[in-house]
Amino acid sequence: MQKSKKIWSRCLAGLALVICAILGFGTVSYAADSYSYDIWGNVVAAPDAYELERTIYGSDLGVSNMSSASDVVYRNGKVYLCMNGYIVIADKEFENITYITEYVRENGSKSSIGSPSGIYVTEEGHIYICEPSQGEIIEFDENGRYVRAIGDPHCIGLTTAYQPRRLVVDSVGRIYVLVQNCYEGFAELDPDGKFNRYVGATEVTYSMWDLFWRNLQTEEQRARSALWLPTSYSDLAIDGDGFIFASVSGAASNEPIRKLNSSGDNVMPEHDFVTVPMGDFEGSKSQSNLNRIAVAEDGRFAVMDTNYSRIFVYSSDGYLMYEVAGSGNVEGKLSSPTALCFMDDKIIVVDVVHQSLEIFAPTTYGGLINSALEAQSDYDYETAASYWEQVLDINNNFYYANLGLGKHQMRTGEYEKAQENFYIGADRDYYSNAYAQVSGQWMDRNFGRIIAILVTVIILVIAWKIYRKFRPAQPKDTKLTRAWSKIKFTLFKWPGYVLSSPFKAFDDVKYCDDGSLAFSVVVIILFGWISLIRYRYTGFLVSFVDINNVNVPLIVGSAILPYVAFIVGNWAVGVLMSGKGKVVHITKVVGYSLYPACWLNLAGTILSNFVTQDEAALVSALFVLGTVLFFFYMFIGTIMVNQYTFTKNVATLILSVVAMLIICFVLMLFATLLAQFVNDWAQIIREISMVL
């Protein structure tokens, strides 16, 4: 009994040390002055893509101050800035400045520019401004002359006063308006200013916890509680193809930036390993408040984070290209940005605290990215590839450049290089296409050899069978043959007996003590290491992980620990529920049940490196099959060794899971305390060594 206690105490101590090692491994993230994110969501340093070129103050524009500046737009070589009482129009050099301060309406009455909140300029030069306090949209022609005022279009369902905040106009004259306190999406007006419909209504978001408590509330409590309203938009922009880019208020949305088609559906591209545009993020949750957005002519779009005064610029397909500026009072930083726009390859930002327009120009690095994107938008992939190569010379962490190179290499027939670049860029679709070409070429080159080898093997097997038929082997009783016979029985014959006749086999485990305990323990440990092999070497099209940050104790430990906890938990529950199985019996059940999963995981890991995306589902099915077979044989085994009925076995397994959770909690608590104890003593020793 004392020896058994010592064994158990050693096992628990060993498990605690493993958990300590697991807790001790981790990754460290860091922030850089200029940074980006890799495909794993880690912050990585990046060269500056933009730098401050010049600052334009109110005095440079002939206005007293710019504290009320609310929006800015660039079109056809002119910059348009709106603020209280003014629409300022300047050229690219901020010279030849003109103003719109008042206008004459159709009835001859004079009106002044009030407090416009948004401005848009069409390709023809017509200027639209939003006057929320007046509930109007005012249109001017290319010469700044009044054209019309679009009043309340009587939007369906709007219960508050009509207050247009932002707007864009498409190529056929439809006006899309962001209306304050409207939760139905953007109001679409026809070219005459009449209401058509709402576009891009956001869904109501709520947690399961909120839904649970709401179901418990009385009618009076529900009436007093806050309404569940759809998320409202904060800004919108439109590109040359008519897609509307919209930003969602707040940082709680999983999709703070949306690309809406004519039906109002979000068609922002999603990628397997790249987070959708959301500024700074942790996991899959945005840390930014992206409330302004602008679109460049080449398809890039920029979003403004007012939490940290940063500008994030994305490619047309939703990949982060670079970030600009940041919060601060030094040159090149922003204090309180309120609006932005592209001016060719430059970015204009309105900062109301600095009361200035901050003009950011691309650096060599940023210029190369912009040139590559522009070439890609013109379908000039060869020119784009030359730019991407230069980008990688400056920043080899910029995985989007690998994607650009890979696309060019696919077109030129360099499939192996393209496959490598698509792997680095984590694009499964393109990787699968490149691999299909590589494997097809390999098969064309080696098909004759493969057939020759298969025919040779078949002939040799037939010849061997014929030879043995006329010259049968004489069995020899040697140590080697006995050892081989034992190995075959342990590794193949008895496990095969379990797989083919699980009821009889596990009954023999209970009453005849058949099966090998050592083999079962080895299988459980081996399963942990096979899990590590699967994690590290599974093909890209099935599983893609950061192999540079492999936590070996965590992977192996997390694979083994649940089964060890199940053995202990099931035995403990069995003691309480009159189970007949001992720890040895349950260990054998778990070991032999895991045996097919070991082989299937190995086979799946190997095959995963030789499949295309269409075939990857078959490999995933092998992994799932291993898990299903484990539960199937484990269920039969626990019934037989514990001598339970079907219903009682189900109840016992549920209680075993509860026991597993308790065991894991206790072990984690013990490991945490032990780790803290070790850290405290290490700190004491360091302090003593410093004194000495």
Side-chain angles (χ1 to χ4, degrees), residues 121-150:
V121 181
T122 66
E123 194 67 40
E124 295 77 20
H126 280 228
I127 305 167
Y128 291 77
I129 62 170
C130 292
E131 290 278 18
S133 59
Q134 300 171 196
E136 291 180 322
I137 296 172
I138 311 298
E139 180 185 354
F140 303 91
D141 65 15
E142 65 275 13
N143 298 313
R145 291 190 295 265
Y146 171 85
V147 175
R148 60 174 173 165
I150 304 173

Side-chain angles (χ1 to χ4, degrees), residues 605-639:
T605 300
I606 295 170
L607 290 176
S608 66
N609 292 279
F610 302 98
V611 295
T612 61
Q613 193 166 15
D614 294 334
E615 301 160 345
L618 299 177
V619 176
S620 300
L622 290 179
F623 296 139
V624 174
L625 179 61
T627 303
V628 171
L629 289 177
F630 165 75
F631 283 109
F632 174 74
Y633 288 112
M634 182 269 297
F635 187 83
I636 295 175
T638 51
I639 284 181

Side-chain angles (χ1 to χ4, degrees), residues 469-512:
K469 182 177 181 179
F470 294 101
R471 296 287 300 270
Q474 298 296 326
K476 297 180 180 179
D477 187 15
T478 63
K479 290 183 178 180
L480 184 60
T481 55
R482 288 196 300 269
W484 174 241
S485 178
K486 186 175 181 180
I487 291 172
K488 285 197 299 183
F489 180 83
T490 304
L491 295 181
F492 302 107
K493 188 174 181 179
W494 175 256
Y497 177 51
V498 173
L499 299 181
S500 60
S501 305
F503 289 97
K504 293 181 180 179
F506 287 126
D507 193 58
D508 292 343
V509 168
K510 171 64 181 174
Y511 292 104
C512 303

